[in-house]
């Protein structure tokens, strides 16, 4: 079945450094790739998304890149801050089908 | 800003009891999803509705779980009987019928603990 692999499972960075999280998807028909940030006990919150007709998207300190040929997409956070600490999930879907989530990355930003 | 509503926020029950969760999507959102998130994992779909019709319930344990969205608006997810392994966060999400139809808006979730 469809699956999404996500790496690394944990990531520790110093405040101000960059963080990169990578995902690989299996369903070549996937056309929507969101990233969610989830704090402990709270709902997943959409932080950025990209559609298959776009290769890169940026929103302030956050950017996402998509390589459809390799079926890879990545989240880049620059100038990390302690409040960026959370669990980040990538996901993939086709149109309004269910989201297939990755296994999550716990990001810790140390002051 | 409109949000997906869920209740209760927390539920503690004993195994073999029945539990029910309620979700009210954002007004006008035609597609509604119930996900289950086990601690330390990503959410996984249990059931998807388009209006009042089930679109995908392939991962719903139908011997104990049921879901309905009778008027195509709010939805109820029921577990009977609850088992220890059902302890998880149950998340409801919805998507608009037009525009950004992919973007799923999540509710605050119901955290279920089965003792």
């Amino acid at each position: 079945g469809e699956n999404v692999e996500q790496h690394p499972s944990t990531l520790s960075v110093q405040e101000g450094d960059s963080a990169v999280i990578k995902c690989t998807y299996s369903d070549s028909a996937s056309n929507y790739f969101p990233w969610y940030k989830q704090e402990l006990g709270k709902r997943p919150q959409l932080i950025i998304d990209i559609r298959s007709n776009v290769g890169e998207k940026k929103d302030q300190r956050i950017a996402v890149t998509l390589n459809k040929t390799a079926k890879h997409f990545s989240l880049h956070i620059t100038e990390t801050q302690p409040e960026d600490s959370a669990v980040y999930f990538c996901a993939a879907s086709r149109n309004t089908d269910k989201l297939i989530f990755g296994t999550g990355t716990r990001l810790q930003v140390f002051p | 800003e409109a949000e997906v509503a869920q209740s209760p926020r927390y539920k503690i029950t004993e195994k073999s009891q029945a539990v029910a969760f309620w979700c009210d999507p954002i007004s006008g959102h035609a597609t509604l999803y119930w996900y289950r998130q086990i601690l330390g994992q990503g959410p996984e779909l249990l059931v998807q509705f388009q209006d009042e019709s089930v679109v995908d319930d392939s991962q719903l344990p139908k011997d104990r779980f049921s879901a309905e969205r009778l008027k195509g608006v709010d939805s109820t997810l029921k577990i009977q009987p609850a088992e220890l392994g059902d302890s998880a966060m149950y998340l409801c999400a919805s998507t608009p019928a037009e525009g950004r139809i992919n973007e799923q808006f999540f509710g605050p979730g119901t955290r279920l603990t089965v003792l």
Side-chain angles (χ1 to χ4, degrees):
Chain A
E2 312 109 325
N3 81 299
V4 174
E5 294 185 0
Q6 182 172 347
H7 300 281
S9 57
T10 61
L11 180 58
S12 297
V13 299
Q14 204 73 30
E15 182 177 1
D17 287 349
S18 295
V20 180
I21 303 171
K22 299 183 179 181
C23 289
T24 304
Y25 60 98
S26 62
D27 184 0
S28 57
S30 296
N31 58 8
Y32 176 64
F33 308 92
W35 286 88
Y36 288 88
K37 176 182 180 182
Q38 188 174 33
E39 298 176 357
L40 190 62
K42 297 191 176 181
R43 78 186 81 188
Q45 290 201 307
L46 180 71
I47 57 171
I48 196 167
D49 57 14
I50 192 167
R51 286 172 170 76
S52 58
N53 58 346
V54 176
E56 185 173 355
K57 183 177 178 181
K58 188 174 181 179
D59 182 4
Q60 299 184 337
R61 298 186 296 108
I62 296 173
V64 58
T65 59
L66 172 64
N67 182 330
K68 285 189 296 182
T69 302
K71 293 191 279 188
H72 288 171
F73 59 114
S74 300
L75 177 71
H76 304 252
I77 306 174
T78 58
E79 301 172 22
T80 54
Q81 302 166 2
E83 51 266 38
D84 293 330
S85 297
V87 178
Y88 291 80
F89 289 97
C90 62
S93 73
R94 173 176 39 178
N95 301 323
T96 58
D97 290 354
K98 63 187 176 186
L99 289 170
I100 305 296
F101 284 85
T103 48
T105 296
R106 180 172 300 280
L107 174 64
Q108 290 183 302
V109 181
F110 292 98
Chain B
E1 184 176 335
E3 292 190 339
V4 175
Q6 287 188 250
S7 67
R9 295 291 309 279
Y10 304 92
K11 179 70 178 178
I12 300 174
T13 191
E14 293 184 344
K15 63 180 182 179
S16 79
Q17 296 299 302
V19 293
F21 313 134
W22 176 79
C23 171
D24 192 12
I26 295 171
S27 178
H29 281 201
T31 307
L32 184 149
Y33 311 79
W34 282 101
Y35 289 89
R36 177 169 61 183
Q37 185 176 24
I38 295 170
L39 192 64
Q41 300 181 18
E44 292 187 334
L45 182 79
L46 289 173
V47 61
Q48 176 183 345
F49 290 92
Q50 177 70 33
D51 298 313
E52 66 276 8
S53 300
V54 173
V55 173
D56 184 352
D57 64 355
S58 57
Q59 299 302 308
L60 186 71
K62 299 182 187 64
D63 56 337
R64 297 186 300 108
F65 286 64
S66 65
E68 60 183 16
R69 193 184 183 200
L70 292 176
K71 296 183 179 179
V73 181
D74 59 337
S75 176
T76 302
L77 178 69
K78 297 179 181 178
I79 309 174
Q80 182 173 19
E83 296 181 351
L84 295 177
D86 296 331
S87 294
M89 174 81 89
Y90 290 81
L91 293 160
C92 179
S94 66
T95 59
E98 299 177 333
R100 294 178 62 84
I101 60 172
N102 312 78
E103 185 175 342
Q104 296 191 19
F105 296 81
F106 283 87
T110 296
R111 179 164 295 285
L112 173 66
T113 301
V114 182
L115 302 176

